[in-house]
Amino acid sequence: MSELRGRLASWDTVIIGVTVAVLIAATAGVENFGNGTNFTFLILDLLPIALIALPMTMIVITGEIDLSVASTLGLTSAIMGDLWNRGLTIEMIIPLCVLIGALLGAVNGVLINRLGLPSLAVTIGTLALYRGLALVVLGDAAVADFPWAFTGWVTGTIGGGPIPNVLIVLVVLAVIFGVVLHATPFGRSLFAIGANDQAARFSGVDVARTKFWLYVVSGAIAGLAGVLWTLRYSSARADNGAGLELAVVAAVLLGGVSIFGGRGSLWGVLSGVLLLAVLQNALRLQDVSGQALNIVTGVLLIASVLLPNIITGVRDSLHRRRLRAVPVKSS
Amino acid sequence: MRIHTTRALAVATASLLTLGIAACGGTSKGDDDGAAGPASTASADPNAAIKEGLKIAFLPKQLNNPYSDVLAGGGEVAVGELKGEYKLVGPNDAAASSQVSYINTLIQQQQDVIGIAANDPNAVCPSLQQARQAGIKIVSFDSDASKDCRDVFINQATTQGIGESLAKMANELAGGEGEIAILSATPNATNQNAWIKVVEEELKKPENSKLKLVKTVYGNDEDQKSFQEAQGLLQSYPNLKVIVSPTTVGIAAAARYVSSSNYKGKVAITGLGLPNQMREYVKDGTVSKFALWVPSDIGYLAAYAGAALASGQITGAQGEKFTAGKLGEYTIAADGEIVLGPPTEFTAQNIDQFDF
């Protein structure tokens, strides 16, 4: 019973409910929202955010952050364009780019875990560094002549229906990340690290190594997102994905992951991503301006940080009052 | 410990494997690629009436940019004349891919025409293709999209047209003979150099044979450097009759120097400038004429071209003609290009009609 109450009150359940409600409202109330083509566009728009949010969820649960993801995406995209210009085959370039992403993530991992630097500082540094390197690799040029077989696959849908091909990639990875986070000892050790890394260390978790691999995976996924971004827009550019890290962090927090670590679920985060994307899409269909969209995102983000704290605060004070009430009655 | 590492590695390799599905064979740059835009099969009917109530949307590079606002403003006037529905949408940033979701939204809203100044000629291409498949006509303006992704491109002016206009103004202001100099932006500014090359070609023509280009200097598009370069020119060439500055920063700085010196009335300044920046020097007599395309006319022409496309008057093929309201008749050039025309000359008589 008390477990059920805890579950009902937890923020990720709230956000899943809100997302479903907004989806229904938008389908019913917004012209052109509920059709197949719009569904395809919606998924294509949220794909890079959703992908990067998967490892970001794990990282934030351990109490850390990775702000370099969008720059990793941009650098991967720039390298992809450069390698393509140099005549490598696209089949070689794609896995190579994912590996390069992993390598960039490993740089973060080493700096954070071998040198013990705070992840916020390190990844703000590599945010600037990787974006700078991207400009060195490609300058302000754009590489565009990627093969149709690949760009067409990324923008295409399964059998010409509403379901975009890339949704397969997202679903497969989401299932893998979901199982790893919520159904394995490794996943539980992430929550343990976020709740109290000393305690986790004493109970046998290699905190430094775990975090190192999280950054490697985060980089690899950002590299993959860079590949898919480049193919979707048929455009390798150094400025691709600029500012995307904020959208990812917003979705993760909105999805109920505590910025202090130790709490959150992948399902909450995925509905956070969906909620932001649906709101943006629906408001845009209603001709709401970009500035207003930013305001909506900002308000949601603040609410997602504030409301869980208010809920906890109210619950605690109710609990305290009940405790206080008990001795009065008995005396 | 080891099991943790293994699992983390598994996640990383899984992402690699997912990609492996697509990776078979080998495709590299230059391989023949089957990508093809939808071929235009429509035929034009020059006598078709312009439809009323056309939904015409403008998607500039970025909203809240003064230049974009003026462009789109011209479009709004034209859509009003055409009795259509005007809409202005756009991203807050000029990133390459930000425009794509706006194009997608416009497809959903079943617009008839999208006028776009592309941030990246290729990034917007797949979406524009989708829009065209949905029957939407695409007019690019100011900054072109790849030519197989749009129906027509409104070009503000050709390099040739601007160069000729600069040479013509220099000739008129020098009275047909004498020394002229050029104050440009940077030595490697592509636009400026192309225009200057045309000016040099024009000076070889018989009607300009008595004009002598003594020097080209560069003010780096900085106000103070341009001011000093103008000063230097006048000191080195006491017989100089005209300074031609094909950049808005340079012409304003040169005009400011001359208006406050004793060269006022002896040396003419001309080139490409903004009416609001030059008004004071036109009024005080320092500058008698200069030129620039009228930005609002670009949007105006784009809206008329879009309406002509959506009404079936034109298809975007070379040689087709249509009428664009107050601007008159236009003919489509190669690759769907429509040139606004020679730059507009601004003088004391007409400058007060322009506010940009």
Side-chain angles (χ1 to χ4, degrees):
Chain A
M1 183 60 198
S2 74
E3 195 195 331
L4 180 70
R5 198 163 44 216
R7 199 154 251 280
L8 283 177
S10 80
W11 182 255
D12 51 356
T13 325
V14 173
I15 215 70
I16 292 171
V18 172
T19 307
V20 172
V22 169
L23 260 175
I24 293 169
T27 311
V30 178
E31 207 187 342
N32 298 317
F33 178 83
N35 68 42
T37 336
N38 195 50
F39 176 77
T40 314
F41 292 151
L42 184 70
I43 299 296
L44 283 172
D45 279 353
L46 66 76
L47 178 83
I49 298 174
L51 280 180
I52 297 173
L54 299 174
M56 187 72 84
T57 303
M58 292 184 164
I59 289 178
V60 178
I61 282 176
T62 66
E64 304 286 348
I65 200 156
D66 184 354
L67 294 179
S68 70
V69 282
S71 299
T72 304
L73 186 158
L75 178 50
T76 313
S77 180
I79 292 174
M80 187 173 170
D82 186 57
L83 294 178
W84 178 249
N85 272 345
R86 288 168 195 273
L88 266 70
T89 66
I90 190 91
E91 290 81 0
M92 276 178 66
I93 292 173
I94 292 175
L96 209 62
C97 282
V98 178
L99 269 179
I100 289 167
L103 220 84
L104 297 170
V107 172
N108 283 330
V110 167
L111 289 173
I112 290 162
N113 301 307
R114 287 297 120 94
L115 304 180
L117 301 169
S119 60
L120 185 68
V122 167
T123 57
I124 285 179
T126 46
L127 177 153
L129 174 68
Y130 294 166
R131 189 65 73 183
L133 288 175
L135 285 164
V136 171
V137 171
L138 214 54
D140 54 7
V143 180
D145 52 349
F146 294 101
W148 171 250
F150 288 79
T151 55
W153 188 83
V154 172
T155 52
T157 58
I158 299 171
I163 301 167
N165 293 324
V166 287
L167 191 59
I168 307 169
V169 181
L170 178 60
V171 168
V172 169
L173 286 173
V175 168
I176 295 172
F177 274 82
V179 168
V180 170
L181 181 63
H182 294 298
T184 65
F186 177 77
R188 280 193 291 282
S189 75
L190 299 182
F191 286 97
I193 293 171
N196 185 337
D197 63 341
Q198 291 291 337
R201 193 169 293 127
F202 287 130
S203 56
V205 178
D206 189 336
V207 175
R209 175 173 285 199
T210 303
K211 285 184 180 174
F212 172 78
W213 284 107
L214 285 183
Y215 282 96
V216 172
V217 173
S218 177
I221 295 287
L224 173 64
V227 168
L228 293 174
W229 182 294
T230 307
L231 293 175
R232 182 194 172 189
Y233 297 113
S234 315
S235 181
R237 289 179 62 113
D239 67 351
N240 275 349
L244 198 71
E245 66 280 336
L246 293 182
V248 175
V249 172
V252 168
L253 296 187
L254 188 62
V257 179
S258 165
I259 190 77
F260 307 110
R263 201 150 41 83
S265 80
L266 205 65
W267 323 124
V269 169
L270 287 174
S271 34
V273 173
L274 188 62
L275 177 59
L276 284 176
V278 168
L279 278 174
Q280 297 247 335
N281 182 294
L283 291 175
R284 215 172 258 162
L285 281 173
Q286 305 273 53
D287 289 329
V288 172
S289 73
Q291 289 89 325
L293 291 182
N294 288 349
I295 293 170
V296 169
T297 316
V299 168
L300 271 177
L301 191 58
I302 292 172
S304 71
V305 179
L306 264 185
L307 281 180
N309 283 322
I310 292 174
I311 291 171
T312 323
V314 169
R315 209 194 292 144
D316 285 356
S317 82
L318 284 177
H319 186 61
R320 268 199 304 276
R321 199 177 300 165
R322 225 173 12 244
L323 284 181
R324 238 182 290 131
V326 173
V328 170
K329 257 184 190 167
S330 64
S331 66
Chain B
M1 243 44 53
R2 280 187 54 184
I3 194 151
H4 296 161
T5 313
T6 325
R7 276 180 206 284
L9 265 177
V11 175
T13 35
S15 59
L16 276 172
L17 282 176
T18 324
L19 285 163
I21 299 167
C24 39
T27 318
S28 62
K29 191 182 176 77
D31 284 6
D32 195 29
D33 183 23
S40 177
T41 49
S43 60
D45 172 13
N47 300 317
I50 294 288
K51 292 179 189 161
E52 280 190 17
L54 287 171
K55 291 159 88 176
I56 300 180
F58 277 81
L59 177 53
K61 286 182 163 186
Q62 179 177 17
L63 284 191
N64 306 317
N65 164 312
Y67 188 69
S68 293
D69 292 349
V70 176
L71 291 184
E76 186 170 11
V77 171
V79 174
E81 291 175 9
L82 290 159
K83 297 188 177 63
E85 278 179 52
Y86 168 83
K87 175 182 297 213
L88 173 66
V89 294
N92 291 324
D93 60 287
S97 43
S98 303
Q99 287 178 318
V100 168
S101 38
Y102 285 91
I103 299 170
N104 293 344
T105 304
L106 294 173
I107 297 174
Q108 294 298 58
Q109 294 173 335
Q110 291 152 10
Q111 299 291 318
D112 295 301
V113 177
I114 298 177
I116 179 172
N119 281 333
D120 178 310
N122 298 299
V124 291
C125 215
S127 290
L128 289 181
Q129 291 286 18
Q130 255 174 314
R132 293 179 77 191
Q133 277 158 17
I136 301 173
K137 302 300 176 188
I138 309 296
V139 179
S140 64
F141 61 92
D142 185 37
S143 170
D144 199 7
S146 289
K147 65 171 184 286
D148 50 349
C149 309
R150 47 81 174 152
D151 293 285
V152 293
F153 168 50
I154 308 296
N155 196 349
Q156 52 256 45
T158 58
T159 303
Q160 187 67 29
I162 292 172
E164 283 174 6
S165 172
L166 291 172
K168 182 172 140 273
M169 288 190 299
N171 186 319
E172 286 168 13
L173 292 170
E177 60 177 319
E179 291 180 355
I180 65 169
I182 292 175
L183 169 59
S184 185
T186 56
N188 49 9
T190 320
N191 273 350
Q192 265 84 7
N193 285 347
W195 298 331
I196 292 170
K197 214 169 151 222
V198 176
V199 171
E200 287 167 350
E201 291 299 315
E202 287 292 304
L203 291 182
K204 291 175 188 160
K205 290 187 176 168
E207 66 266 31
N208 294 326
S209 62
K210 288 180 183 159
L211 289 179
K212 188 175 170 231
L213 176 60
V214 291
K215 198 170 188 189
T216 299
V217 294
Y218 301 93
N220 293 345
D221 261 351
E222 289 165 19
D223 181 68
Q224 198 187 344
K225 177 99 188 332
S226 304
F227 187 91
Q228 287 163 349
E229 289 293 338
Q231 188 177 10
L233 276 176
L234 293 171
Q235 278 161 354
S236 327
Y237 301 96
N239 298 321
L240 197 63
K241 280 191 163 169
V242 183
I243 295 178
V244 181
S245 185
T247 152
T248 57
V249 178
I251 188 175
R256 196 171 82 245
Y257 174 69
V258 171
S259 75
S260 61
S261 73
N262 53 10
Y263 294 104
K264 187 173 166 182
K266 295 176 193 152
V267 178
I269 306 292
T270 190
L272 303 177
L274 293 161
N276 285 352
Q277 265 187 342
M278 300 303 291
R279 196 176 320 273
E280 145 185 25
Y281 309 116
V282 171
K283 300 256 157 135
D284 78 3
T286 310
V287 175
S288 59
K289 66 168 65 175
F290 65 99
L292 199 66
W293 48 88
V294 179
S296 59
D297 284 351
I298 299 171
Y300 185 91
L301 179 54
Y304 268 92
L309 283 163
S311 307
Q313 269 187 5
I314 55 172
T315 63
Q318 185 170 1
E320 289 172 355
K321 290 179 180 1
F322 69 101
T323 306
K326 64 172 185 189
L327 296 178
E329 193 182 66
Y330 281 86
T331 306
I332 301 175
D335 291 330
E337 193 175 290
I338 300 168
V339 180
L340 179 62
T344 299
E345 280 185 13
F346 303 101
T347 62
Q349 278 76 48
N350 71 0
I351 194 162
D352 283 336
Q353 295 162 24
F354 300 95
D355 182 20
F356 63 91

